[in-house]
Amino acid sequence: MMEPSRPDARCWSEATHRPAASDPTYLQVPEDLVAPLRTWSDPLISRGNPVTLLTEVLSQQGVYNPEVCRPGGIDPVAGFLQNRLQGHCELFASTLALSLRLRGIPTRYVVGFQMNEYNALARHYLIRERDAHAWVEVYLNGQWQTFDPTPASQTEAAHPEGNQLEFSDQLADWARSAWAAFLSRLRRTTLAAWPLISGFAATLIWFGWRFRNRLSGWFSPVASPDELGQLLL
């Protein structure tokens, strides 16, 4: 669960120490992919900005299909091009990144998570394993900019029930987060605070034992309204 950097944030990835934009690794393309990438992309970029055009073609004409089988014995990106742009997010991102590098545009292939489910109660995004995603960062106008070439159907496939969390789900997520935060703080607690914590825990245990009979009635089946009234006295 990560705090959102902005309300409309779609993707999150933990930034690590990365080379400068001038690093030649951001322009590297495997030799066996130069020909198939040019064959696919050259006719598409003759009429405008290659970054925008290639992103639009991939996201609008491609088909998100994580189960598609690629031809054996060839690079996955080459197989993706042969399969008429059918595949998972890693193939969409790789194709865009490498095609732009052929034009001398530095790119970074990025993996992280989509942020779709916002928990307003806990004030954070709920990130699940199924939110794993790949996209591209392109160096334009002196800064890295994010471009996502994967069709939006990936989000729909990951969240067929929608992105809105029910209140009960928000409450359960908030409780888990609060408990995790409490344990984290507990591990950092100074030695002087432990007697107070131990005393509080002992008090709860004593209280539970002392009133165990009455408390057990709260969790037993209620036979009648009169019995419910007795429990509340």
Side-chain angles (χ1 to χ4, degrees):
M1 293 158 288
M2 302 303 303
E3 294 294 337
S5 57
R6 59 186 188 278
D8 61 342
R10 183 183 177 193
C11 299
W12 173 86
S13 176
E14 184 177 5
T16 56
H17 297 290
R18 295 170 174 168
S22 58
D23 192 283
T25 57
Y26 295 136
L27 293 174
Q28 290 180 350
V29 180
E31 292 184 6
D32 59 333
L33 289 179
V34 172
L37 285 170
R38 284 201 176 278
T39 300
W40 170 73
S41 61
D42 282 353
L44 301 173
I45 63 172
S46 59
R47 61 181 186 276
N49 185 330
V51 179
T52 303
L53 288 174
L54 294 181
T55 301
E56 290 180 351
V57 169
L58 287 167
S59 62
Q60 297 177 10
Q61 299 182 15
V63 177
Y64 176 75
N65 183 0
E67 306 298 331
V68 69
C69 296
R70 66 180 178 86
I74 63 174
D75 187 276
V77 172
F80 174 69
L81 296 174
Q82 289 186 14
N83 282 332
R84 298 183 180 180
L85 309 182
Q86 296 187 52
H88 49 72
C89 60
E90 294 171 323
L91 294 172
F92 283 93
S94 297
T95 299
L96 177 62
L98 295 174
S99 297
L100 294 178
R101 289 182 182 184
L102 286 175
R103 275 82 195 172
I105 302 175
T107 63
R108 295 194 298 215
Y109 170 86
V110 186
V111 292
F113 296 89
Q114 288 183 318
M115 297 195 298
N116 296 303
E117 297 175 292
Y118 184 67
N119 187 336
L121 184 63
R123 300 181 66 183
H124 64 220
Y125 280 96
L126 177 59
I127 296 179
R128 308 176 192 268
E129 184 178 355
R130 61 187 176 183
D131 293 318
H133 191 46
W135 62 95
V136 180
E137 290 180 349
V138 183
Y139 194 72
L140 295 173
N141 302 320
Q143 62 181 348
W144 291 103
Q145 300 181 33
T146 299
F147 291 85
D148 189 352
T150 303
S153 56
Q154 179 190 8
T155 302
E156 298 170 2
H159 297 275
E161 72 284 357
N163 297 332
Q164 298 298 321
L165 288 172
E166 297 291 340
F167 179 76
S168 58
D169 295 329
Q170 294 189 41
L171 186 61
D173 177 55
W174 172 83
R176 287 192 297 266
S177 301
W179 177 246
F182 170 75
L183 293 179
S184 178
R185 293 189 181 95
L186 196 61
R187 285 191 289 267
R188 299 193 301 267
T189 302
T190 60
L191 185 62
W194 274 102
L196 180 62
I197 296 173
S198 301
F200 178 71
T203 301
L204 289 178
I205 294 173
W206 175 87
F207 182 85
W209 176 259
R210 175 66 176 78
F211 298 99
R212 62 187 183 280
N213 293 330
R214 177 171 295 185
L215 290 174
S216 64
W218 283 85
F219 300 100
S220 60
V222 177
S224 67
D226 291 338
E227 183 177 343
L228 177 60
Q230 292 298 321
L231 288 174
L232 296 176
L233 291 179

